[in-house]
Amino acid sequence: MGCCGEPASKHDNQYRNQAAPVNTGIVNQQPGSHPGAQFYEKPALLIPSGPSPPPPSFQPIYQPISGAHSQPWSHGSPSPPLPGSVHHGMMSNVPMNPSMLTMPNAPFDASGLSGSTTFSPPLLQPSPVHVPPRHASTSPSLSTSMTHAGTSTTRNDFAAPLDEGKMSISIDFGTTFSGVAYASSRIASGTIQQILHWRGSSETFRKVPTCLLYDEHGQVLAWGLEAKNASPMPGTIRCEWFKLFLEPRALRDESAVDPRLPQLPLGKTAMNLIVDFLTCLWEYAKEEITREIGAVADLNSADVLVTCPAAWDAKGCDLMREAAIEAGLVQSARAGDIHWRDRLRIITEPEAAAVHCARLTDLHKLRPSQNFMICDAGGGTVDLACYKIIGQMANLEIAEMCARSGANCGSLFLDLRFRELVKTLLADHPAHLDAASLAYFMHSFSQTDKLAFRGEIDDDTYFHFTCFNIQDPHDPSVGLINGELAIPGNLIRREVFDPVVNQVLEMIEEQSRKIEQKIDALLLVGGFAGSEYLFRRVEEKFSGKIKVIARPSDADTATVRGAAQYGLARKAIVSTVISPRSYIMKVKLPADPEDWLKRPAYIKENNASVPICENRLQYLVMKGAILRKGQRVKTKFCKFSQNGRDCNFVAVLYTAESDKMMRYTDEGETTELCKWTVDLSTLPTFQRNANNPQPSGFYTEFELGLEMDSAEVRGVLLYEGQEWSRVVFDFLN
């Protein structure tokens, strides 16, 4: 995550990114070196107790319902339901009593989907099968659960590679700054390399501004440093901060976009800008990597890892994947390379940072079985996640301990609040409020005072900002003196820093409450972590609870380096993840007494005269479920087809952020995530039925696997337990 751009001038023994000290450039917004890797430490750490048990798990108990066939469907050519059974495979009631979850073996009908029927999906919740008992000294169990109606399996995406030495390239696409790192076991003994030289400067920078300059026809004139430092020219438009348009609320509702963000160029979308920037960054990165390693590298077959904020949902991650592919980050390297898209991985920023920080054991004094929190404070977003170190450090493996969180409260929002403060102070002096003057004020604040500001210590200090229009009369009442705007430190702290810093502190507090066990270290990374005031406030608030509060000297590049290290490892270093939200389907179920009592208006009789309750919710994955990386939640479905041309199964997947399990659609907010379409035409069972047409149509039984990764959600069609084809996800607005 980028809030940085400082010249890369320090020596790093772990990663070979030596660069000689140079003069400060125009763009310099990265935290400076933290000699000795500043950290706050109390007495030696204690081995913590094991993870606390999660909420009580729900054990499915299956029972047949009156009027529905109770025998499992055969795995051959499926037959229609027996006469008198629930029409189109309605599912039995699911009581919400926490002590017992009743789930049937009869299929259910996805609401509103004509001609589609399904078997009941598995319900995954935090369960003792995934987390050891309290006070256990072992790490979280990595077992997966299995249910009668659906199973959960693990797919090994990181088996020992046959192409040892393959290159791993990571891109930290940040709101304000972006970086590129790469690694290969055949280059510099596997140490992480970073691109340090960028167009527009002879100096070295660890990151480059996420900035584009367009002409009036929408063509890219410059990017990075050249775009950021370009003087205003007629017919040009400079674009920044466009990553924030992929934030979940902004994707669902354009009115939710922060009005303080600059408007997009006419005829351009946020996706257009992201593709343009990634294209420029990638083409330059390939040139620079080839130049630095001294040979033509096979970059077309490299694994590419792109980071995204923790708060992004699957739709934002899917758009990021789409943009990366369109920008050419991965492509077919040879004939028959049909899985080339799989070389692109989207991972969360705190996960990448955790991989980097967990290896710095000498600094953070972390040991196996201990817990640590990552606070990735960057330019646009602040992300939080908690992890446990599993096993020995020589074979590093870490497990996520609770659902991650994030919000738009990065250092960019200090800049925006500072701009609003200046506009308020100079409301009676419009000569200083033109776009160029405001941009200059923000630039001065960002480059000199933002990270160095110390809070109450600077309350009596005046911060001076040069004005463009020196002809404007003095006005000491608002701080206009001798061509400068002087603002007292206490006003800057109260109006600019405290609202943003307090939000970060509240997020850390809330994240720490999600796990009922000790957090041994709080590690601050990202460009905003370089803020002296933020770091001091975190120390003051949490030093009594957390023994080590630290920020590594390379905090600003922890994400991009960790992502490259992740790709180099060729295995899932973060072994388990916690589902940050629930994944749900809306269904129609046979009515039970609770439905008659609570929602009689939802009950209607179907064609078989069976009372059916509409607007019910069926959980595929519950928020907080512990999932192993690559794990597939498998669910059986059944589709009715009139003929062989009716081969597409369509359903809608919803998400919910609530920790509470809901029974009805009106009990809380659900969000349409995607429509998933499955083409059954190549499935042998479908083909057998289609080749033997029946006047009354036929049913096809099949199985879908839902894969939950750190950032992405994928679907696969399974046949006899093996992957048959991919499921198309059409992400909804």
Side-chain angles (χ1 to χ4, degrees), residues 538-559:
V538 171
E539 282 185 333
E540 290 174 353
K541 185 172 179 64
F542 298 103
S543 60
K545 305 176 184 178
I546 303 175
K547 292 185 178 296
V548 173
I549 298 176
R551 54 183 175 188
S553 58
D554 52 4
D556 55 300
T557 58
T559 296

Side-chain angles (χ1 to χ4, degrees), residues 302-442:
D303 289 332
V304 179
L305 295 92
V306 179
T307 61
C308 71
W312 278 15
D313 61 13
K315 179 179 179 181
C317 296
D318 183 71
L319 290 174
M320 194 70 231
R321 168 175 285 276
E322 181 183 328
I325 290 176
E326 187 175 345
L329 272 61
V330 292
Q331 54 188 292
S332 178
R334 61 189 179 278
D337 185 11
I338 60 175
H339 299 298
W340 57 271
R341 291 178 179 84
D342 294 340
R343 292 199 295 272
L344 173 66
R345 296 201 63 204
I346 311 295
I347 65 172
T348 65
E349 289 158 351
E351 180 178 335
V355 171
H356 173 72
C357 291
R359 294 180 177 275
L360 304 179
T361 53
D362 291 341
L363 169 63
H364 305 135
K365 300 179 175 56
L366 288 171
R367 299 194 295 271
S369 298
Q370 291 189 318
N371 305 319
F372 65 98
M373 181 188 295
I374 290 291
C375 176
D376 188 354
T381 57
V382 173
D383 296 323
L384 296 166
C386 296
Y387 298 93
K388 176 181 285 291
I389 296 179
I390 298 175
Q392 299 302 313
M393 300 305 296
N395 187 23
L396 178 65
E397 188 174 330
I398 60 179
E400 195 172 28
M401 299 300 294
C402 61
R404 55 191 177 270
S405 60
N408 289 351
C409 54
S411 64
L412 164 64
F413 294 92
L414 297 177
D415 298 347
L416 297 178
R417 294 190 67 88
F418 178 77
R419 183 175 66 183
E420 295 304 311
L421 175 61
V422 170
K423 290 168 68 174
T424 300
L425 291 174
L426 301 179
D428 295 331
H429 297 267
H432 300 292
L433 299 181
D434 60 283
S437 296
L438 287 174
Y440 189 75
F441 282 133
M442 288 180 63

Side-chain angles (χ1 to χ4, degrees), residues 670-705:
T670 59
T671 303
E672 292 184 351
L673 175 65
C674 63
K675 179 176 69 175
W676 44 348
T677 302
V678 186
D679 182 1
L680 302 177
S681 61
T682 63
L683 206 62
T685 52
F686 182 91
Q687 291 178 344
R688 284 196 298 268
N689 291 325
N691 292 332
N692 297 285
Q694 304 173 26
S696 58
F698 58 88
Y699 289 83
T700 302
E701 185 183 349
F702 59 98
E703 194 172 37
L704 295 181

Side-chain angles (χ1 to χ4, degrees), residues 18-36:
Q18 300 92 342
V22 293
N23 296 330
T24 302
I26 298 177
V27 177
N28 181 9
Q29 196 177 327
Q30 178 179 353
S33 282
H34 309 309

Side-chain angles (χ1 to χ4, degrees), residues 60-134:
I61 301 175
Y62 303 95
Q63 57 187 30
I65 59 175
S66 178
H69 59 287
S70 58
Q71 296 300 320
W73 291 30
S74 69
H75 289 279
S77 178
S79 302
L82 298 175
S85 67
V86 179
H87 183 61
H88 279 182
M90 294 301 177
M91 180 177 168
S92 73
N93 55 306
V94 184
M96 292 299 112
N97 185 342
S99 64
M100 179 181 74
L101 177 69
T102 302
M103 294 182 66
N105 57 2
F108 72 90
D109 186 8
S111 178
L113 301 175
S114 175
S116 297
T117 58
T118 65
F119 279 90
S120 58
L123 173 65
L124 295 186
Q125 292 216 48
S127 167
V129 73
H130 298 295
V131 182
R134 189 187 299 271

Side-chain angles (χ1 to χ4, degrees), residues 225-281:
L225 285 166
E226 292 179 333
K228 182 72 173 180
N229 296 332
S231 301
M233 296 179 289
T236 64
I237 180 171
R238 185 165 62 191
C239 298
E240 300 179 273
W241 315 334
F242 38 86
K243 176 183 174 181
L244 294 179
F245 286 88
L246 294 192
E247 189 266 337
R249 290 179 304 165
L251 287 174
R252 292 194 295 266
D253 181 7
E254 289 185 0
S255 64
V257 176
D258 194 316
R260 295 172 298 180
L261 297 180
Q263 294 293 316
L264 297 174
L266 188 64
K268 292 279 188 179
T269 66
M271 277 289 289
N272 296 148
L273 271 63
I274 293 171
V275 169
D276 286 346
F277 182 80
L278 289 178
T279 300
C280 295
L281 183 68

